[in-house]
């Protein structure tokens, strides 16, 4: 502002004062510095936005992978439980037959028709 006032007060044919030229050069240097700083900051923002997007995509991908692994693990566990229940049924059937000779095969191990584990 001081520079503009100093230059505005001079006539077009007069030479600018050395201080005004020095101030003008200083302001030009400062302006150049600000532009460079702005470019660096814009570059950083762009890079951070890309990193954020990549991180978000990686998080979603990892979440999906973990979800699929959990589903697979649960499916294996269910199959393992079915096998174990079948083995348990094979072990209990002779015991129940010995204790209850009139035991009907359509009742469950727990004594309720159509119950959890039908023999």
């Amino acid at each position: 502002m001081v520079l503009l006032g100093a230059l505005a007060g001079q006539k077009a044919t007069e030479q600018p004062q050395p201080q005004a030229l020095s101030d003008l050069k200083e302001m030009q240097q400062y302006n150049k510095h600000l532009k460079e700083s702005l470019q660096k900051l814009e570059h950083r923002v762009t890079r951070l936005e890309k990193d954020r997007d990549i991180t978000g995509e990686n998080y979603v991908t990892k979440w999906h992978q973990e979800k699929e692994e959990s589903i697979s693990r649960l499916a294996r566990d269910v199959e393992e439980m079915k096998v174990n229940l079948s083995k348990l049924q094979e072990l209990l059937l002779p015991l129940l037959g010995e204790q209850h000779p009139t035991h009907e095969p359509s009742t469950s191990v727990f004594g309720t028709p159509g119950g959890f584990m039908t023999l």
Side-chain angles (χ1 to χ4, degrees), residues 4-102:
L4 294 177
L7 291 176
Q10 295 179 355
K11 295 180 183 175
T13 58
E14 293 181 20
Q15 291 291 327
Q17 296 177 359
Q19 180 62 38
L21 285 175
S22 173
D23 289 346
L24 179 62
K25 288 181 182 179
E26 184 179 324
M27 291 182 101
Q28 288 173 336
Q29 286 295 326
Y30 185 66
N31 189 24
K32 181 181 175 184
H33 169 74
L34 288 177
K35 286 180 181 180
E36 289 171 355
S37 295
L38 178 63
Q39 287 176 345
K40 288 178 184 178
L41 289 173
E42 287 173 343
H43 176 71
R44 286 181 185 172
V45 167
T46 302
R47 194 175 75 226
L48 287 172
E49 287 173 344
K50 287 179 184 177
D51 290 348
R52 178 202 61 206
D53 293 343
I54 290 170
T55 301
E57 290 169 6
N58 288 344
Y59 176 80
V60 170
T61 301
K62 184 175 181 177
W63 181 81
H64 281 292
Q65 288 173 344
E66 289 176 359
K67 178 182 167 188
E68 292 299 320
E69 289 171 4
S70 294
I71 290 170
S72 296
R73 192 171 33 254
L74 285 172
R76 284 191 309 270
D77 290 349
V78 166
E79 291 303 315
E80 186 178 325
M81 284 288 230
K82 286 180 182 179
V83 169
N84 288 338
L85 285 172
S86 177
K87 289 178 183 178
L88 181 62
Q89 185 177 5
E90 290 174 9
L91 292 172
L92 289 177
L93 184 61
L95 292 174
L96 288 175
E98 291 174 7
Q99 292 177 357
H100 305 289
T102 59

Side-chain angles (χ1 to χ4, degrees), residues 98-116:
E98 291 174 7
Q99 292 177 357
H100 305 289
T102 59
H103 179 71
E104 296 179 19
S106 64
T107 57
S108 76
V109 172
F110 302 108
T112 58
F116 181 71

